[in-house]
Structures are given as structure tokens and as C-alpha cells.
Amino acid sequence: MRGRDHLQPWRRYLEVRNVKRAMLASLGVLLLVAHSEAATITVADSAALNTALANASNGDVVELLSGTYVAPAGGFEILDSGASFTVRAADGAVAVLSGGGSSRIMLVQNLTGATGQSVVIEDLVFERGYSSVNGRAGGVTIVNANATLRRCTFEDNVVEASSTGGGAIFAFGASTVFIDS
């Protein structure tokens, strides 16, 4: 009888195998945790929308319930988000972002000059945005940012700047904009 020494290679094999299993299980948990961090943030008023836009993370969906969201002075802002997320109307909702005829509605900008992540804006109505500032639209301004506008409606947005701007949409700098109706 050889004793227990002949079992040593099998023990090492089983130990390595168990370590590999533990590592795979840990990786799976990490992937689930990373995936579960994305959230749907439902908002029902302008203040909640401002907060959601400022705090959205990768994969989040900011979902607007039916109603009119009056833009604050200077408009709703997505600045240096560093995250790729979606802003949209909830299923069946009619969400209107309004400048009330006196304010810009939305600014998507990366102040660093780098284009950063992409923001998707879906199924929203932008109405009565107003700008008198060069380089700013009444509706949506995109500066050094990536944005996709899907099935959005623009109504009665104006600009009265002396040289540049756009009533509905104005994009400049290192911006990439996709418009999908």
C-alpha cells in the first residue's frame, strides 16, 4: 500500500478546479451586479426630471409620465454625463417639454470637448422653446456630444439670435447626432 501520497495530484487538480469554479461564480455575480445597476427612473415633474438627468448612469432609462414639463431658466441640462442612457416618454404617455415661449428647452453638452457617451431621446414633444443666445436652439442644443433623437416632435420653437442657433435643433463642435423619425 502506497499511503496517501498517490492522491496528491488529484487533490491539486480538485483544488484548482474549485478555484476556477469560484472565480467563474464571482465573475457571474459581478456581471449580474453590473447589469442590475441600470435602472428605470420614472419622473412626473420638472424638478424630478432635472435630478434624473443629472444623476443618470450607464444603461438607465429616464421615463417621463404624461404631462407638461416646463423647462427651468436655461433649459434642462445633460452636462458631462459620462454615461450612455435614454430619456423617453413612458409607454402610452404624451410627455411635453416646454420652454413656455421664454426659455430654451434642453442642452446636451460635454464641457471637456470630448464627445463622451451617447444619449438617446425618444418620443418626446419639444414645444415653445425660445432662445436669443448665439449657438443655442430653442428646442435642443447639442455641443460636443453624441445624441440620437427618435420619434420626437418639435413645435413652435424659435431663435432670435443675431448669428447662429436653430429653432428646433442646433448641434456643433465634435457632435454626432442621429435623427430617426
Side-chain angles (χ1 to χ4, degrees):
M1 197 160 172
R2 294 186 295 174
R4 295 184 170 235
D5 287 341
H6 73 286
L7 297 176
Q8 203 62 8
W10 282 104
R11 283 191 185 135
R12 279 196 10 209
Y13 169 77
L14 291 174
E15 287 173 1
V16 168
R17 189 173 169 187
N18 286 338
V19 168
K20 285 181 181 177
R21 281 186 183 166
M23 289 173 61
L24 285 173
S26 297
L27 179 61
V29 168
L30 287 173
L31 289 173
L32 284 173
V33 168
H35 180 69
S36 67
E37 287 181 16
T40 298
I41 305 161
T42 304
V43 298
D45 60 51
S46 296
L49 176 57
N50 247 350
T51 301
L53 293 176
N55 297 309
S57 298
N58 271 330
D60 283 356
V61 175
V62 177
E63 214 167 58
L64 287 71
L65 298 177
S66 284
T68 299
Y69 297 77
V70 178
F76 296 106
E77 295 182 333
I78 301 172
L79 301 175
D80 296 321
S81 71
S84 181
F85 61 94
T86 299
V87 182
R88 70 178 182 208
D91 286 340
V94 176
V96 178
L97 277 63
S98 177
S102 62
S103 180
R104 299 184 305 266
I105 298 174
M106 183 175 281
L107 172 65
V108 181
Q109 182 174 9
N110 285 311
L111 300 169
T112 64
T115 56
Q117 299 295 321
S118 183
V119 175
V120 177
I121 301 168
E122 298 179 334
D123 302 315
L124 299 178
V125 177
F126 294 87
E127 73 169 22
R128 300 188 62 224
Y130 172 82
S131 177
S132 61
V133 178
N134 288 331
R136 296 293 186 254
V140 178
T141 301
I142 302 163
V143 183
N144 296 323
N146 297 320
T148 299
L149 300 166
R150 249 186 225 129
R151 297 177 306 276
C152 291
T153 303
F154 293 85
E155 300 174 352
D156 301 321
N157 296 290
V158 297
V159 64
E160 293 181 350
S162 61
S163 64
T164 62
I169 302 168
F170 184 72
F172 66 97
S175 297
T176 303
V177 180
F178 295 99
I179 301 172
D180 180 9
S181 58

